[in-house]
Amino acid sequence: MRFLYAGLGLCCVALAAIGIVLPLLPTVPFLLLAAFFFANSSDRLHNWIVAHNVFGPMILDWRERGAIRPGAKKAATVSIAAVFGLSLLLGVPGHVLGVQAVVLTAVLTFIWTRPNG
């Protein structure tokens, strides 16, 4: 299971990096998901991330109750809206916008269906 969580964390970091380079994906939600996955992959990473002032309480809520704090949900939503708006402004092709809309809707649905932390 630890390897699975580490792999999912690396995938989220890669998606966040793509979001930094290309305006196709937001970075904040994928960095949050990466932090959650990394916290489950290694005790050393878990202790380091849990000690963080922002990520620590969110990860503890996540592990105990599957909860995400409302502030993190709002930041993820703003990040997603900004990226999608930028894609529209830049004239990204329709088929790319369609895929982007499906991925971003899935991420938002996952985030907003978690209980509030």
Side-chain angles (χ1 to χ4, degrees), residues 49-109:
I49 293 173
V50 168
H52 193 274
N53 292 338
V54 176
F55 288 120
M58 283 192 284
I59 289 170
L60 291 176
D61 285 343
W62 174 265
R63 289 190 84 173
E64 292 171 7
R65 300 180 300 135
I68 299 176
R69 292 179 175 225
K73 290 180 181 184
K74 290 176 187 172
T77 304
V78 167
S79 173
I80 286 173
V83 166
F84 196 72
L86 184 60
S87 296
L88 287 172
L89 185 68
L90 293 174
V92 173
H95 65 284
V96 175
L97 282 176
V99 171
Q100 183 183 31
V102 169
V103 170
L104 298 181
T105 301
V107 170
L108 271 180
T109 301

Side-chain angles (χ1 to χ4, degrees), residues 12-72:
C12 288
V13 169
L15 291 170
I18 290 170
I20 292 170
V21 177
L22 301 170
L24 298 178
L25 296 170
T27 56
V28 173
F30 288 111
L31 289 176
L32 286 172
L33 290 173
F36 295 135
F37 290 134
F38 282 146
N40 288 315
S41 69
S42 161
D43 290 336
R44 179 179 278 171
L45 276 172
H46 172 74
N47 293 337
W48 179 73
I49 293 173
V50 168
H52 193 274
N53 292 338
V54 176
F55 288 120
M58 283 192 284
I59 289 170
L60 291 176
D61 285 343
W62 174 265
R63 289 190 84 173
E64 292 171 7
R65 300 180 300 135
I68 299 176
R69 292 179 175 225

